Amino acid sequence: MKIVIRDAWVIFKRDLKIEKYMWIVSIIFMSYFGVMISMIVESQLEPKNELYPISDIVLLVLIPMLGFYFSKKSFKYLTEDSYTQMMIYLRTLPISSKVIMGYRYMQLTTALIINSLIFFSIMYGISHPLRVEMPLEAFISFALTWIGYAIAVMGIYIHFEFLCSGRKYFWLSMILMGISFIVAIAIRMLGGNLLLYTVNMSQEWGMLSPVMWGTLVGGLIVLAIMGKFTIRKLQNRDLL
């Protein structure tokens, strides 16, 4: 295990050096994302405002992006199939599939921590109604609830990234977004709202919220299962 972590760390550090300026783009996007979501949340917290599914759609579709940081590969995955090219390069190295997955988990963890801090700090900082409705402890519970969801979906995206061509990755991503759209519409038709539900649960339970712990544990389980499945499939993937 120590060897896997060591080799994954070497590849991760090299990746950071190559893509270091792309973090600026990620920070700018997450800042904009935080402002946009805070405005949507404010509108949904108004007592007499109609509950539209747009808040759930935006959260379900965009929250998983907390696990990404912008890179040359992410911008060119469709035109140059850059994810496959990355896999070809990694497969030429004397490393195992576990090292490759460990490297990707390091990317995920780093992006998730930095992006979440930026996004949720801006969201809480500029939204006065949100600060009035939720003390800091409740908001942290709210943030961790959605981070758990992001972890689960990222397991699926990593599976697509490692095993699919750029074109197939694009269409599968569109399908995932379409499913999120359908889920949000269905919940609204049943009289629910995911955003307000997670807000209310966080207000009521704080850091003991069963929804927060459920999404975090469930997200890690999904990530682990998808990781093992991806490693098994990756060993037999034809990259030609």
Side-chain angles (χ1 to χ4, degrees), residues 90-110:
L90 292 175
R91 289 281 289 274
T92 63
L93 301 177
I95 57 176
S96 66
S97 297
K98 290 183 178 180
V99 172
I100 297 174
M101 185 58 69
Y103 147 72
R104 188 62 183 86
Y105 282 168
M106 288 179 182
Q107 283 185 323
L108 168 61
T109 303
T110 304

Side-chain angles (χ1 to χ4, degrees), residues 42-54:
E42 279 189 29
S43 68
Q44 294 291 270
L45 290 177
E46 293 176 4
K48 297 182 180 180
N49 195 37
E50 179 69 22
L51 296 180
Y52 295 108
I54 183 63

Side-chain angles (χ1 to χ4, degrees), residues 44 50-57 60 182-198 200:
Q44 294 291 270
E50 179 69 22
L51 296 180
Y52 295 108
I54 183 63
S55 59
D56 288 353
I57 293 172
L60 288 173
I182 293 170
V183 168
I185 296 295
I187 290 173
R188 180 64 194 97
M189 291 178 67
L190 293 172
N193 184 281
L194 275 178
L195 170 63
L196 291 185
Y197 176 71
T198 52
N200 292 335

Side-chain angles (χ1 to χ4, degrees), residues 18-224:
I18 295 174
E19 305 287 359
K20 58 184 177 181
Y21 296 112
M22 299 305 293
W23 279 101
I24 299 174
V25 179
S26 298
I27 291 171
I28 293 172
F29 176 79
M30 282 300 144
S31 300
Y32 169 76
F33 184 23
V35 172
M36 180 183 68
I37 294 294
S38 67
M39 295 172 62
I40 294 175
V41 171
E42 279 189 29
S43 68
Q44 294 291 270
L45 290 177
E46 293 176 4
K48 297 182 180 180
N49 195 37
E50 179 69 22
L51 296 180
Y52 295 108
I54 183 63
S55 59
D56 288 353
I57 293 172
V58 172
L59 286 170
L60 288 173
V61 171
L62 295 184
I63 282 293
M65 296 190 72
L66 294 174
F68 288 101
Y69 65 86
F70 288 103
S71 65
K72 294 177 182 178
K73 293 188 293 291
S74 62
F75 280 115
K76 297 181 179 180
Y77 80 88
L78 188 59
T79 57
E80 298 182 5
D81 201 1
S82 54
Y83 289 143
T84 300
Q85 296 303 317
M86 175 192 70
M87 291 307 306
I88 292 174
Y89 165 73
L90 292 175
R91 289 281 289 274
T92 63
L93 301 177
I95 57 176
S96 66
S97 297
K98 290 183 178 180
V99 172
I100 297 174
M101 185 58 69
Y103 147 72
R104 188 62 183 86
Y105 282 168
M106 288 179 182
Q107 283 185 323
L108 168 61
T109 303
T110 304
L112 199 59
I113 292 173
I114 295 176
N115 289 338
S116 296
L117 284 173
I118 294 170
F119 168 68
F120 287 110
S121 296
I122 290 176
M123 182 179 172
Y124 192 68
I126 69 174
S127 177
H128 178 69
L130 191 60
R131 294 196 303 275
V132 171
E133 291 287 335
M134 303 180 72
L136 183 58
E137 179 185 351
F139 183 75
I140 292 174
S141 173
F142 169 81
L144 290 174
T145 298
W146 284 98
I147 287 173
Y149 164 74
I151 291 172
V153 179
M154 278 304 302
I156 300 173
Y157 274 114
I158 290 174
H159 180 77
F160 294 161
E161 180 183 314
F162 277 12
L163 299 178
C164 300
S165 65
R167 188 180 298 275
K168 187 175 181 180
Y169 178 90
F170 171 78
W171 287 113
L172 288 172
S173 299
M174 291 299 104
I175 291 172
L176 273 184
M177 291 181 184
I179 292 172
S180 300
F181 180 86
I182 293 170
V183 168
I185 296 295
I187 290 173
R188 180 64 194 97
M189 291 178 67
L190 293 172
N193 184 281
L194 275 178
L195 170 63
L196 291 185
Y197 176 71
T198 52
V199 167
N200 292 335
M201 290 297 291
S202 298
Q203 286 175 321
E204 181 178 354
W205 292 88
M207 296 302 292
L208 296 177
S209 169
V211 176
M212 180 197 78
W213 287 108
T215 58
L216 283 174
V217 174
L220 291 172
I221 290 174
V222 171
L223 182 66

